C-alpha cells in the first residue's frame, strides 16, 4: 500500500497532533513483556503450583497427566502446551492488527504513513502462517476445557470444598479465556459462514448471533485474558514462594 497521502488529505495524514503513538507503545510493551515472561515461566519449571492452584502455563491438555509427572522430560512440560496459546494469539486477527501496527509500523496508526514501500499481504513466509489460525482455534478449545477443569479443582482443598482468593483468580482467568476463545472470528465463521440462507439453519444462526455479540469486543477479551493469564501465574508463583498468603474466604 502506498504511503503517499491521498490528494486533499495531506494535513490529516501527516500532521496528526494527538498522541496516536500511545497505543502502539502499549502494544509493544505489553506483548513484548508478556512474550518474554511466558518463555521465562516455561523455562523456569518452578513455583507453578500452590495447593489446588495450577499455573495456566503448566496446564497439560492430556487427561490424567500433571506437569509434575513430566519432570523426567529434558524440556519443560510447559513447552508442550505453550505453542498452542502463543500460536493462537500470534495468528489472531486482533493481535495481527496490533503487532503489525506496533512492531512493523505498518501503519502505526490510522492516518499515519507506514514505513515500508511495498505490501505483499500474507502470501509469503512467515506471515502466510497466519492462515493457520482456524487450526490453532481447534487446538485451543481443549486447552480451555482443561483450564476449566483446573479452575474447578481450585475449589477443592485438602480439607474439602472451599474458596480462596486463588480459586476466584483462576475462575476469572478461565472465564476471560473462554470469552476470548469463543469470540474468535474463525469460530464465528465456522458457526455461520458459507450459508446462503440463514433462516434455513436456525441453530447455526442463533449460535452465530451469540458469537457476533461477544465478537464485537474481541480485542477487549484478547487483552484482558492475556493480562489475567499473567496475573494468575504471578499470584500462584508468589503464593508458592511464600511472598504472599492466599486468603481462604471460606
Ligand atoms: Fe482472535 Fe480468532 S480472531 S482468536
Amino acid at each position: 500500500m502506498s504511503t503517499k497521502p491521498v490528494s486533499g488529505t495531506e494535513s490529516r495524514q501527516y500532521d496528526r497532533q494527538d498522541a496516536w503513538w500511545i497505543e502502539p507503545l502499549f502494544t509493544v510493551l505489553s506483548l513484548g513483556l508478556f512474550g518474554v515472561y511466558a518463555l521465562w515461566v516455561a523455562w523456569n519449571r518452578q513455583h507453578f503450583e500452590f495447593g489446588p492452584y495450577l499455573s495456566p502455563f503448566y496446564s497439560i491438555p492430556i487427561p490424567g497427566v500433571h506437569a509434575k509427572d513430566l519432570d523426567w522430560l529434558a524440556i519443560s512440560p510447559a513447552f508442550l502446551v505453550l505453542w498452542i496459546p502463543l500460536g493462537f494469539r500470534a495468528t489472531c486477527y486482533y493481535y495481527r492488527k496490533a503487532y503489525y501496527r506496533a512492531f512493523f509500523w505498518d501503519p502505526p496508526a490510522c492516518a499515519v504513513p507506514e514505513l515500508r514501500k511495498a505490501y505483499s499481504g500474507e502470501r509469503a513466509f512467515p506471515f502466510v502462517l497466519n492462515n493457520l489460525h482456524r487450526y490453532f482455534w481447534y487446538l485451543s478449545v481443549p486447552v480451555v476445557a482443561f483450564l476449566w477443569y483446573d479452575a474447578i479443582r481450585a475449589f477443592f482443598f485438602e480439607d474439602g470444598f472451599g474458596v480462596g482468593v486463588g480459586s476466584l483468580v483462576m475462575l476469572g482467568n478461565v472465564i476471560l479465556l473462554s470469552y476470548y476463545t469463543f469470540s474468535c472470528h474463525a469460530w464465528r465463521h465456522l458457526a455461520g459462514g458459507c450459508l446462503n440462507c440463514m433462516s434455513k439453519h436456525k441453530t447455526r444462526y442463533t449460535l452465530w448471533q451469540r458469537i457476533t455479540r461477544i465478537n464485537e469486543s474481541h480485542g477487549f477479551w484478547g487483552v484482558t485474558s492475556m493480562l489475567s493469564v499473567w496475573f494468575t501465574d504471578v499470584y500462584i508463583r508468589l503464593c508458592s514462594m511464600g511472598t504472599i498468603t492466599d486468603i481462604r474466604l471460606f
Side-chain angles (χ1 to χ4, degrees), residues 88 91-95 133 137 180-181 183-187 218:
F88 186 48
T91 57
C92 162
Y93 295 10
Y94 165 74
Y95 279 97
H133 184 62
W137 187 84
Y180 174 58
T181 305
S183 63
C184 170
H185 297 278
W187 166 227
H218 188 59

Side-chain angles (χ1 to χ4, degrees), residues 180-200:
Y180 174 58
T181 305
F182 293 102
S183 63
C184 170
H185 297 278
W187 166 227
R188 180 169 172 265
H189 178 73
L190 272 176
C194 301
L195 292 180
N196 287 330
C197 185
M198 285 286 204
S199 61
K200 288 188 181 155

